[in-house]
Amino acid sequence: MAFTEGFLWGAATSAFQYEGAATEGGKGWSTADERCCLNASNQADASVAVDGYHHWEEDVALLKELGAKAYRFSISWARVIPTGDGEVNEEGVAFYNRLIDALVNVGIAPVVTLLHFDIPFALVEKYGAFADRRAIDAFERYARLCFERFGDRVKHWITVNEQNVMVRIPEMLGYTADDPDCAAKCAQANYHLYLASARAVACCKQMWPDALIGPDVSYPTIFAMTCSPDDVNTAFDLQQMMAFDPMRSYTSGHISLGELRAWKAAGITPTMLPGDEEILAAGAPNFMAVNWYCSTVVDTAAAEGEGGVLNIGAAFRARNPYLDYTEWGWSYDPRALRIALRECYERFHLPLMVCENGWSQREELGADGTVHDAKRIDYIREHVASMSQAIDEGVDLIGYTYWSFVDILSSSDGMGKRYGLVYVDREDFDEKECARHPKDSFWYYQKLIASNGAGLERVPRGL
């Protein structure tokens, strides 16, 4: 097996999906809070989430019991600077200091994301958030605060989580799809987020030159449904658009040609200023995080509505008849992860970390006080095997943080869609006590970590 002794085995959450306490401890409102409220009549919102704000000590103890080497979590910008660019909320800073200290004290490396879908809503109200260039300065100030207060203990930083997803969902940026200027605002915000990420990277390199810092890109692997040239070309174009063009914009010192072509085709020209390419070049990352869950296939000949296909622009996403799927249409394709890691590393030659990868399903707590999630165990085992193979083939993979550590709030599917290694006892409209119950996958992953990835076939306690 290829995993080194320093490999960062761990798990992940994000602030708005985990913490709750949306208006507690001086926290300001965020775009994630606002977006969750839009669907609050149908599912849980972020006001409580899974109450991590009050359960974090218990969860750190569970992470220690798991044997985790790393915990990937996000800082809520609005918790430490409630208005985004105003006064610092020392109570919020103290919360993250306590969490980071507790992790470090038990030998768990904090992997900290600065922005995970939760822009302070005050910035939206003030000047449209990242559609305005002032948001770049606000983000750099926030990032510098985090580096000053936490950088002595945090050695792995992620600037922006899934920018390539955020800019396709206007509500994540604080906009509404019915705004006639929405497309232009999203494109401008996309451009400004690249600059904001670069400014944060450059700041971190100056303050903590030994730290690793970079973006986290949503990375679906896209295949052609058939060998039809239309399918092959469409799959190639979508793979570039969804993953490799954003990665190139982060790493190359300029916006990728693919993104420039897409803006031109849409009749959108974001405002770019002299000196911006120097900012991008100075802020090139020294590692890259990827969120990889599944592969998808595109079928250009499919008719809308047939066979469960979903329109994605010029083509349709079709079900691969050789794969299993979650209830939410995400495939089970561990061998594609090896392909994805090799493609990414061979293009960009940066150390990689898989920061999200997981299996979702509906679950109920059993009479024996646990969840027997055999499918999730299979998912972890087979994806870890693919990572091992990719490392053997030359990929510099430094860590894996399974998504998610505990069940977390899905902003689109509430509490019904569960990913966690630990069951959280709450429902969409019944918060209960949010009690934690390790699932069978928790005990399997514990043994896998203890063996440094060698114990793939070991069965968990209770199976």
Side-chain angles (χ1 to χ4, degrees), residues 244-452:
F244 296 141
D245 285 339
M247 290 177 183
R248 192 164 287 107
S249 292
Y250 284 119
T251 59
S252 65
H254 56 80
I255 300 300
S256 68
L257 292 176
E259 294 205 269
L260 293 173
R261 284 195 299 268
W263 288 334
K264 182 178 180 180
I268 298 168
T269 306
T271 300
M272 305 180 186
L273 299 185
D276 282 354
E277 288 203 349
E278 286 80 0
I279 293 172
L280 292 170
N286 54 20
F287 96 111
M288 187 178 298
V290 294
N291 296 345
W292 194 98
Y293 289 88
C294 61
S295 66
T296 192
V297 294
V298 293
D299 184 355
T300 57
E304 188 171 1
E306 289 184 3
V309 294
L310 178 68
N311 193 341
I312 50 171
F316 295 91
R317 187 176 71 188
R319 284 186 178 267
N320 186 331
Y322 298 98
L323 300 177
D324 292 336
Y325 281 79
T326 71
E327 177 182 336
W328 297 273
W330 293 35
S331 70
Y332 182 113
D333 191 7
R335 286 177 292 183
L337 176 56
R338 166 184 165 261
I339 296 171
L341 292 174
R342 284 190 55 181
E343 281 192 321
C344 187
Y345 186 70
E346 289 171 4
R347 285 171 184 263
F348 302 104
H349 302 288
L350 288 172
L352 299 177
M353 183 182 294
V354 176
C355 279
E356 291 184 27
N357 171 255
W359 180 257
S360 60
Q361 59 191 34
R362 294 188 187 275
E363 293 171 327
E364 294 182 358
L365 192 64
D368 58 354
T370 190
V371 174
H372 302 296
D373 52 344
K375 189 72 171 181
R376 183 171 292 112
I377 291 171
D378 289 343
Y379 183 97
I380 294 170
R381 182 181 67 248
E382 294 186 41
H383 283 78
V384 168
S386 286
M387 289 191 300
S388 176
Q389 188 173 2
I391 294 170
D392 284 338
E393 293 169 337
V395 174
D396 185 8
L397 185 66
I398 63 173
Y400 172 71
T401 55
Y402 174 83
W403 185 269
S404 54
F405 175 52
V406 300
D407 291 333
I408 44 85
L409 170 72
S410 166
S411 58
S412 300
D413 301 291
M415 290 304 304
K417 187 179 187 182
R418 294 179 180 266
Y419 282 96
L421 301 168
V422 177
Y423 183 87
V424 176
D425 189 15
R426 71 152 296 179
E427 305 298 335
D428 277 324
F429 301 109
D430 185 357
E431 295 161 9
K432 302 181 182 179
E433 300 297 324
C434 291
R436 272 57 170 158
H437 301 269
K439 305 175 188 178
D440 283 349
S441 57
F442 178 97
W443 305 113
Y444 172 77
Y445 194 36
Q446 181 193 64
K447 292 181 172 65
L448 186 62
I449 294 172
S451 70
N452 199 32

Side-chain angles (χ1 to χ4, degrees), residues 143-162:
R144 183 177 291 273
L145 171 73
C146 291
F147 301 149
E148 288 172 347
R149 301 297 187 92
F150 314 126
D152 59 329
R153 290 151 292 158
V154 178
K155 304 305 177 187
H156 299 84
W157 294 93
I158 294 166
T159 55
V160 182
N161 177 79
E162 295 189 350

Side-chain angles (χ1 to χ4, degrees), residues 155-175:
K155 304 305 177 187
H156 299 84
W157 294 93
I158 294 166
T159 55
V160 182
N161 177 79
E162 295 189 350
Q163 177 180 331
N164 53 335
V165 172
M166 290 175 67
V167 300
R168 289 175 170 83
I169 303 175
E171 291 79 11
M172 286 188 175
L173 299 169
Y175 315 135

